[in-house]
């Protein structure tokens, strides 16, 4: 009886090791994690395509579809035109389009919840005759189009934005701004960084309700070509203190000016993509 039991035990032991050896995965040390390997080769795990994106490519011509609009009167001429967002800024009397401190121009936005991603494709500034040709800068001027993240209460002066255009004598740049209780902190990434006056802007809303900002030269074939995102000013953080965002925020498009130099112009965008 003992002899039979011992034989059965050997058979079972053989089967156990023989069957399990092919299914065991290698155990990596902390220093050999997939994340570190990607960093060492210069790749960005955030560039993996997100199949959950919903894309609005502004098809056709007419009013924007399914956007919440704040302060429409500041910039009335906003619409879809031949498959693009187009905002014609022809009047900036009393800086009515401005987004700075407690000035809030027009915002066309979607309500999203953290965590989220929002991408604006080929967003920036153009001329009235051709939205894909940036206005030639002359002297000091402030004209922009880009993305704003606003607290859910739209009459609150708490937001962050990333815009593309001409900033004073810093032409063809990307500006970042945090506004907290009506006090704005602002900087940019330097002159001639986006030579066509347009960029792709990517906002990542993190689980902890902070945001990380990315940009790239426009990827016009984003359906088939991988993105090459860069962090805003290396860190991905905007200047100053960030607003205290709640679980829901409005994220959308803005076009604005400070002063009258450079007016008229248009804000343009090929598409937006959202995922949450």
């Amino acid at each position: 009886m003992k002899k039979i039991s011992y034989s059965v035990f050997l058979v079972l032991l053989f089967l156990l090791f023989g069957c399990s050896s092919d299914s065991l995965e290698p155990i990596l040390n902390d220093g050999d994690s997939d994340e570190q390997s990607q960093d060492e080769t210069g790749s960005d795990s955030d560039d993996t395509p997100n199949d959950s994106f919903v894309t609005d490519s502004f098809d056709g011509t007419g009013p924007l579809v399914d956007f919440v609009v704040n302060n429409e009167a500041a910039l009335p001429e906003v619409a879809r035109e031949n498959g693009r967002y187009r905002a014609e800024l022809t009047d900036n009397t009393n800086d009515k389009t401005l987004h700075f401190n407690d000035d809030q121009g027009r915002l066309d936005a979607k309500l999203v919840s953290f965590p989220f991603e929002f991408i604006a494709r080929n967003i920036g500034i153009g001329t009235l005759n051709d939205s894909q040709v940036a206005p030639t800068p002359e002297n000091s001027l402030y004209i922009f189009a880009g993305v704003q993240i606003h607290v859910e209460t739209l009459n609150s002066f708490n937001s962050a934005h990333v815009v593309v255009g001409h900033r004073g004598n810093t032409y063809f740049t990307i500006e970042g701004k945090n506004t907290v209780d009506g006090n704005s902190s602002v900087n940019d990434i330097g002159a001639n960084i986006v030579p066509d006056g347009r960029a792709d802007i990517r906002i990542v809303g993190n689980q902890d309700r902070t945001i990380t900002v990315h940009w790239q030269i426009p990827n016009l074939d984003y359906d088939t070509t991988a993105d090459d995102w860069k962090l805003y000013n290396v860190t991905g953080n905007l200047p100053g203190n960030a607003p205290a965002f709640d679980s829901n925020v409005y994220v959308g498009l803005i076009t604005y000016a400070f002063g009258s130099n450079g007016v008229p112009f248009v804000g343009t965008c090929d598409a937006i993509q959202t995922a949450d």
Side-chain angles (χ1 to χ4, degrees), residues 1-12:
M1 189 72 175
K2 289 182 180 179
K3 189 172 184 178
I4 295 174
S5 299
Y6 182 73
S7 299
V8 171
F9 173 77
L10 288 177
V11 170
L12 290 174

Side-chain angles (χ1 to χ4, degrees), residues 131-143:
S131 68
Q132 302 306 289
V133 175
T136 301
E138 185 176 351
N139 301 321
S140 179
L141 72 169
Y142 296 80
I143 57 174

Side-chain angles (χ1 to χ4, degrees), residues 200-221:
D200 292 341
I201 299 296
R202 176 185 179 218
I203 309 296
V204 176
N206 303 303
Q207 189 71 48
D208 63 0
R209 300 179 187 174
T210 62
I211 62 171
T212 306
V213 177
H214 308 250
W215 69 276
Q216 66 180 2
I217 298 297
N219 177 5
L220 301 180
D221 299 311

Side-chain angles (χ1 to χ4, degrees), residues 20-262:
S20 63
S21 60
D22 291 337
S23 64
L24 290 176
E25 296 181 359
I27 299 174
L28 300 178
N29 294 326
D30 290 342
D32 295 327
S33 68
D34 288 341
E35 182 177 353
Q36 182 173 1
S37 298
Q38 289 175 352
D39 288 343
E40 288 174 351
T41 59
S43 62
D44 183 352
S45 61
D46 287 339
D47 289 346
T48 304
N50 189 334
D51 294 333
S52 64
F53 274 121
V54 175
T55 299
D56 182 349
S57 52
F58 304 110
D59 293 337
T61 296
L64 299 185
V65 178
D66 295 330
F67 281 78
V68 173
V69 183
N70 189 44
N71 200 9
E72 181 176 3
L75 187 63
E77 296 183 76
V78 174
R80 292 172 292 123
E81 184 171 292
N82 298 321
R84 284 193 172 102
Y85 159 91
R86 179 182 174 93
E88 291 194 12
L89 199 161
T90 58
D91 179 11
N92 193 39
T93 303
N94 297 322
D95 285 326
K96 63 183 180 180
T97 68
L98 182 62
H99 291 269
F100 180 68
N101 289 339
D102 57 0
D103 291 312
Q104 294 198 114
R106 175 171 177 153
L107 168 65
D108 294 272
K110 307 278 189 177
L111 186 65
V112 301
S113 301
F114 285 96
F116 68 85
E117 280 188 68
F118 183 99
I119 297 174
R121 298 284 183 178
N122 196 31
I123 191 166
I125 56 174
T127 67
L128 292 183
N129 292 330
D130 190 339
S131 68
Q132 302 306 289
V133 175
T136 301
E138 185 176 351
N139 301 321
S140 179
L141 72 169
Y142 296 80
I143 57 174
F144 303 102
V147 178
Q148 184 174 92
I149 308 93
H150 199 288
V151 298
E152 190 172 3
T153 303
L154 286 170
N155 63 3
S156 170
F157 304 128
N158 288 275
S159 65
H161 79 221
V162 186
V163 290
V164 186
H166 301 317
R167 179 173 182 254
N169 293 308
T170 304
Y171 308 143
F172 300 101
T173 192
I174 299 177
E175 175 191 277
K177 183 182 294 179
N178 272 319
T179 298
V180 177
D181 295 331
N183 295 299
S184 294
S185 302
V186 59
N187 64 12
D188 60 58
I189 65 171
N192 301 312
I193 303 299
V194 284
D196 292 327
R198 297 183 306 282
D200 292 341
I201 299 296
R202 176 185 179 218
I203 309 296
V204 176
N206 303 303
Q207 189 71 48
D208 63 0
R209 300 179 187 174
T210 62
I211 62 171
T212 306
V213 177
H214 308 250
W215 69 276
Q216 66 180 2
I217 298 297
N219 177 5
L220 301 180
D221 299 311
Y222 58 88
D223 283 335
T224 57
T225 303
D227 291 311
D228 183 23
W229 297 111
K230 300 174 178 61
L231 290 168
Y232 181 86
N233 271 343
V234 182
T235 67
N237 298 321
L238 299 180
N241 295 322
F245 294 119
D246 289 328
S247 57
N248 297 325
V249 288
Y250 282 105
V251 185
L253 307 183
I254 58 175
T255 296
Y256 76 93
F258 172 57
S260 60
N261 191 25

